[in-house]
Structure formats: C-alpha cells, structure tokens
C-alpha cells in the first residue's frame, strides 16, 4: 500500500533528489525499482473534514486503514466500514460490528490507533481542522473547491 503523502518523496527518490527532512511520507522508489521489499503492511486513509461536494451531515470525517487484504474505517461515532477485499473485492458486504469479524475489527482498530498516534492525529471533528488551518466554509458548512 502507498498513500498520497508518499508520492512526493517517492518521485524525489526516483529522480535522485535529496528528500528534505520536513517532507511527510515514505520514499518507495526502492520498492518500485525492485531494489527493496515493501516494509509496510497498511496505510492510513483519512478525511479530516468533508469538502465542498458534501452538505454538512451527509459527508463525514473518517480515519481508516487499508491493508493488503482489508479496508477498515471509523467515523467519529465508531467503527463504520470493514471489508475483506479478497473475498469481497466490490465491497458489498460490510463486516463492521458483526460477530464473525469482531477479532479482526479489534486488530484493525488497534492498527489504526497506532497509525493515528504516529501521525499525531487526535481525530477531531472537521470543524476543528477548518479552524486550525484557517479555511473559509461555504453555505453548506464545508470547504469549497477552488480553481
């Protein structure tokens, strides 16, 4: 798995350009060129605050992990989505909260908690991030897309 913050350091690595220490993400250029084996088992997926395509209330803040096999997502209320992407590649059967997936959900939740801690992400309501970053919201209460 690779995530958006990994794109820039990977491109810099592929280009032979030194990666500044301030850059977030991982350089996967060695994996892409066959010089290294993947060292990660999962990537965090996030939506700090729903953007302009959502009316406030329809979109939701979420955090999750995508492993090689599973997708697990929490919203502010708790577990929301859990899919076995091998058995259910179209994500038609949500396993979140089901007895048969309880142990798996617990493991993935612990994995997510570790990734949130490593990222310094307190998983707050979206409005907190909008205030923190100084964004303006539209009549829908969301950050608008701009050109």
């Amino acid at each position: 798995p690779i995530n958006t913050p990994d794109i820039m350091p990977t491109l810099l690595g592929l280009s032979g350009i030194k990666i500044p220490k301030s850059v977030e993400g991982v350089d996967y250029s060695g994996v892409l060129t066959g010089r290294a084996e993947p060292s990660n088992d999962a990537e965090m997926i996030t939506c700090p605050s729903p953007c302009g395509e959502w009316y406030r209330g329809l979109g939701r803040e979420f955090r999750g992990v995508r492993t090689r096999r599973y997708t697990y997502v929490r919203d502010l209320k708790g577990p929301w989505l859990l899919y076995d992407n091998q058995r259910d590649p179209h994500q038609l059967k949500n396993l979140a909260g089901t007895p048969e997936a309880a142990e798996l959900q617990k493991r993935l939740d612990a994995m997510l908690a570790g990734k949130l801690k490593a990222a310094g992400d307190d998983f707050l309501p979206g409005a907190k991030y909008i205030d923190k970053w100084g964004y303006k919201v539209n009549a829908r209460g969301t950050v608008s897309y701009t050109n």
Side-chain angles (χ1 to χ4, degrees):
I2 188 168
N3 206 343
T4 307
D6 306 321
I7 294 172
M8 185 178 74
T10 300
L11 290 174
L12 291 173
L14 288 168
S15 301
I17 299 171
K18 185 177 180 194
I19 301 165
K21 290 182 181 186
S22 61
V23 169
E24 294 182 22
V26 176
D27 173 8
Y28 286 110
S29 61
V31 175
L32 294 176
T33 59
R35 296 186 325 261
E37 289 295 316
S39 61
N40 63 334
D41 57 350
E43 285 292 336
M44 187 164 66
I45 52 179
T46 70
C47 178
S49 181
C51 292
E53 79 272 24
W54 300 103
Y55 284 100
R56 195 73 191 134
L58 295 177
R60 57 177 86 174
E61 302 87 339
F62 65 80
R63 304 293 188 278
V65 288
R66 175 68 161 85
T67 71
R68 296 178 202 285
R69 181 166 182 178
Y70 300 103
T71 300
Y72 171 69
V73 180
R74 299 179 59 92
D75 65 11
L76 292 171
K77 296 177 184 174
W80 174 28
L81 304 169
L82 172 55
Y83 295 105
D84 181 333
N85 298 314
Q86 284 181 359
R87 292 186 177 163
D88 181 17
H90 300 290
Q91 297 185 338
L92 300 174
K93 184 177 181 192
N94 186 0
L95 302 171
T98 63
E100 67 266 21
E103 280 303 311
L104 171 62
Q105 183 173 308
K106 187 176 179 181
R107 271 195 342 262
L108 292 170
D109 198 62
M111 182 184 290
L112 175 58
K115 290 196 173 291
L116 286 168
K117 184 176 181 180
D121 186 342
D122 294 325
F123 191 9
L124 303 172
K128 298 286 186 185
Y129 297 99
I130 289 170
D131 290 343
K132 176 181 175 182
W133 297 325
Y135 291 139
K136 303 289 185 236
V137 295
N138 60 20
R140 296 178 173 181
T142 61
V143 178
S144 298
Y145 288 115
T146 60
N147 293 332

